[in-house]
Structure formats: structure tokens, C-alpha cells
Amino acid sequence: MADPRHASLEKLRELYRSRAAAFRQELIPYFRYVLQSGFGLLLSAIGITLITGYIRLLNDPGDWPSDIVGTVVLLLIALYAPLRTYFQPADTVFVVPLEKEALAAVVLPKARRAMLASALRMLAAFAVFAPLYSQAAPTAEAAAGRPLPLLGLAFALVGAWNAHAAWNERRLASSAWRVGLRAARFAAVALVAAGLLLRPFVPALAFAVLCAAVLYALARLQTRHALPWDRLIAEEAAARRRWLRFLSWFVDVPSETSRPARRGWIAWTADRLPWRRDSAWTFLYAKTLLRSDTFGAFWRWNAVLIVILAMAKEPLLDAIAFAIAVFVGGLQLTELGRTRFAENAAVVPLRPERRLRAVAGVTRAAGLVA
């Protein structure tokens, strides 16, 4: 006879695997626009710049502030502890009766994977930082007094502990305690990172163990949920919004939460169009562009390129940045032609053949202004 609990576990695993796959399939088509926008080239340029700068620092680190930079970078990497569960608001009705199964099948495995991922991130970050740590003047003496492999292992454990502590904070019933313990964890990780890098190794390691034990005990003393449905659902919704917000920089992303933006600082320009029948489609498309996500992505991208052009000192860099700005801006403006109006717009007594002319006029005006 089949075990009912085992069958429930498998169904829950399959449910959340399908949700993860559906989320990826929803986002993947938009990455074509991200790549077409030149963002990949920008990331490549940033990566090449960082690698060349790193090599130059290795050749002559001098008085580079390895103590401050190392502490800050390792702190930020340690504090990054996401937990994607793909929970939805309906789960609080339909899946709550299977809370134990959901905890065992979905949440705890993801929490363990988050701990492992955090440990590996910290280990990789320290491996990159270690050569500079050993050679730069502010930390060379401290690096000589401790075994670097053990120090890397200690930072990996800090990363794993931080992910585990973040999971415990999510379970707290009191939001005030959750915020307070999170602030205490941030401060503790900063002190632990600085101590492991700059202070005697054994006392610093003991201090790290003490901080972990104290924060763990404080979390255990508070009322906790076995599975914090509301917190995980809110975090999942926030992660989804962040992805859609990122993609909206490059393409108009339809969303059930999207709504027209007022943008009073620019929307008034459409009101300057002549009030006659021949300008109706132009007015409609101008207002649609200026109050849509497409224009949000368009003006933000142009703002970034304006900053780059202002900082670039070489004519060749100016020309490349300007060409990228024109290409990406034109690509974003083409989204206006794919706009679907409400069904009642089809019955408005306007000549449909003027639509293409209106789209071309609006996008041309926006492109020339940019």
C-alpha cells in the first residue's frame, strides 16, 4: 500500500517545481530584449574592467585599502541570503493542511541549499580576495599570522550561519523582534568579518561562535511559526517584482500590478498637440507612451547613458556610448507599435490607417529629443 504522506510530499515537490519552471518560462522571452539592448556588452565591459583592475592591483597593491574593502565586500556577500519558495497567497487556504509536508518537501531543502550556496559564495569571494589580502600593506601583517585555508573555511561557515539565521528570523511571529534580530545580525557579521580579517585568528573565531550562539538563543526564545507562510509569500512577491522591474528597464513587461504612471513632469507635452480629428491617434499614442513602462525604461536608459557620456573623456568612448544609446532607445521605442488598446478603442470613429503614421510620428519625436 502506498504511503499517503509520501504521495503528498511528491505532489508538493511537483507543484513547486512546476511553479519554478513556469516563472522561468515567463521571464526567458524577455531576455532577448535585454541582450539586444547591449546590456550584455555593458556587463562584459564591466567584467573586463574589473579583471584588468584586479590584475593591476595584484602587481602593485601598495596601500590599497584591503581592510575596508575586504570587510565591506565580504559583509555584503554574507548578508545576501535569498529563499525562493514560489509560495502564492492561495497556499494559505489550500496547502496549510499540508504544512508539515510543505515544510519537509519544499522549505527545509531550499533552506539547506541556501546555506550551502551562501557558504560557496563566501568561499569563492575569499579565494578572489586572498591574494590582495596577503599583499596589500593594510592587511599583509595580519594575513601572515593565520592560515588562509582555515580563514576561508571560517568565512564559508559564516555564510552558512548567516543563511540559517535569516531562516530563523523569517519564522519569528513578532515583526519587531524580526527587525531587531536582523539589525543585530548585520552588526555581528560586520564585526565578525573585520575580526577574522584583522584581529588574532583564535579570539576572532571564538567571538564569531559567541555571536552565532547568542543570536540563535535569542531567536529560540521567541514565539516562532513552524512555517511562516505570510513572510515567505511576501518575499516571493517581492522577488517577482524585482525581476519584472529589472526587465522593465529594457522592455514593456505586462503585469497584473502595472498601472499607468502619472509623470506630470513630461505627460503635459502630449496636451500641446492640436485638438483636431487628424491628431487623435497621435494624442492617444503620445499619452500611452509617456505614461507606460516603456517610457520609464526609455528615460532611465537615457539617463544612464547621459551619465556615461558626461564621465567619458575619450571621443571614441563618446561615439560608442552614443551609438549604443541610439540603438537601445530605438529598440525600446518600437514597443509602442505593439500596444494593444482596450476593446472599446476599436469602435472610436477614427481612421485606422492613421495609426501607423501616428506611431511613427510619436516614436520619431521621442527619438529625436533623446
Side-chain angles (χ1 to χ4, degrees):
M1 180 181 296
D3 184 0
R5 186 173 184 274
H6 180 73
S8 299
L9 291 174
E10 286 302 319
K11 287 182 180 179
L12 285 171
R13 291 191 186 101
E14 181 59 31
L15 172 64
Y16 291 105
R17 278 196 295 265
S18 65
R19 286 184 181 178
F23 179 76
R24 289 191 294 269
Q25 290 299 318
E26 180 185 358
L27 296 189
I28 285 174
Y30 295 111
F31 279 93
R32 175 170 64 91
Y33 300 98
V34 176
L35 295 177
Q36 289 175 344
S37 71
F39 185 71
L41 294 176
L42 179 62
L43 288 182
S44 300
I46 293 173
I48 293 171
T49 302
L50 291 176
I51 291 172
T52 54
Y54 178 76
I55 293 173
R56 284 199 299 268
L57 276 177
L58 283 180
N59 293 330
D60 184 20
D63 293 329
W64 185 71
S66 55
D67 49 353
I68 299 174
V69 175
T71 301
V72 171
V73 171
L74 290 171
L75 167 66
L76 294 177
I77 293 174
L79 295 181
Y80 178 69
L83 184 64
R84 296 294 305 274
T85 58
Y86 301 97
F87 282 172
Q88 297 178 3
D91 292 341
T92 57
V93 176
F94 297 103
V95 189
V96 162
L98 299 174
E99 183 174 86
K100 291 183 179 179
E101 289 79 359
L103 186 64
V106 179
V107 180
L108 290 182
K110 289 183 177 293
R112 287 191 288 267
R113 284 195 290 270
M115 293 172 60
L116 178 60
S118 183
L120 293 177
R121 281 194 300 268
M122 289 293 287
L123 194 59
F126 181 76
V128 173
F129 174 65
L132 293 173
Y133 176 63
S134 302
Q135 298 179 38
T139 54
E141 184 178 353
R146 67 200 69 205
L148 294 185
L150 288 181
L151 184 58
L153 178 61
F155 274 112
L157 293 176
V158 168
W161 160 71
N162 188 77
H164 183 266
W167 162 242
N168 281 333
E169 290 163 11
R170 292 180 175 97
R171 297 177 60 192
L172 294 177
S174 170
S175 58
W177 270 98
R178 186 185 309 118
V179 173
L181 281 182
R182 182 180 296 119
R185 175 168 58 89
F186 289 2
V189 173
L191 293 174
V192 166
L196 289 174
L197 289 177
L198 307 173
R199 300 303 178 191
F201 181 66
V202 175
L205 193 60
F207 177 73
V209 173
L210 177 63
C211 288
V214 169
L215 290 177
Y216 180 75
L218 289 175
R220 293 280 296 181
L221 290 174
Q222 304 306 312
T223 303
R224 298 182 301 167
H225 299 290
L227 201 164
W229 291 98
D230 292 339
R231 172 56 43 186
L232 294 177
I233 290 171
E235 289 188 9
E236 181 60 32
R240 178 181 176 83
R241 285 194 301 270
R242 285 192 296 269
W243 274 107
L244 295 179
R245 192 179 302 122
F246 165 73
L247 293 174
S248 69
W249 278 67
F250 308 95
V251 63
D252 188 7
V253 180
S255 171
E256 64 274 10
T257 59
S258 64
R259 57 185 179 184
R262 291 185 179 276
R263 295 201 183 101
W265 59 274
I266 189 64
W268 60 271
T269 55
D271 298 331
R272 297 299 181 266
L273 290 168
W275 284 79
R276 59 173 184 260
R277 179 184 291 271
D278 291 344
S279 302
W281 281 117
T282 306
F283 177 82
L284 183 59
Y285 274 105
K287 281 291 189 181
T288 300
L289 172 65
L290 295 175
R291 300 188 64 190
S292 67
D293 289 339
T294 297
F295 186 76
F298 180 68
W299 80 259
R300 288 193 295 265
W301 177 255
N302 280 277
V304 170
L305 266 297
I306 286 171
V307 173
I308 293 174
L309 287 168
M311 296 176 62
K313 304 298 183 182
E314 297 293 333
L316 180 60
L317 294 179
D318 285 342
I320 293 173
F322 186 78
I324 292 175
V326 172
F327 173 74
V328 175
L331 188 68
Q332 291 171 331
L333 289 176
T334 58
E335 290 298 313
L336 183 62
R338 302 185 181 93
T339 300
R340 293 180 179 273
F341 296 113
E343 292 181 358
N344 53 10
V347 301
V348 176
L350 296 175
R351 296 169 62 182
E353 61 271 14
R354 291 188 177 273
R355 291 186 63 166
L356 291 179
R357 189 186 306 173
V359 172
V362 172
T363 54
R364 186 186 308 116
L368 288 174
V369 171

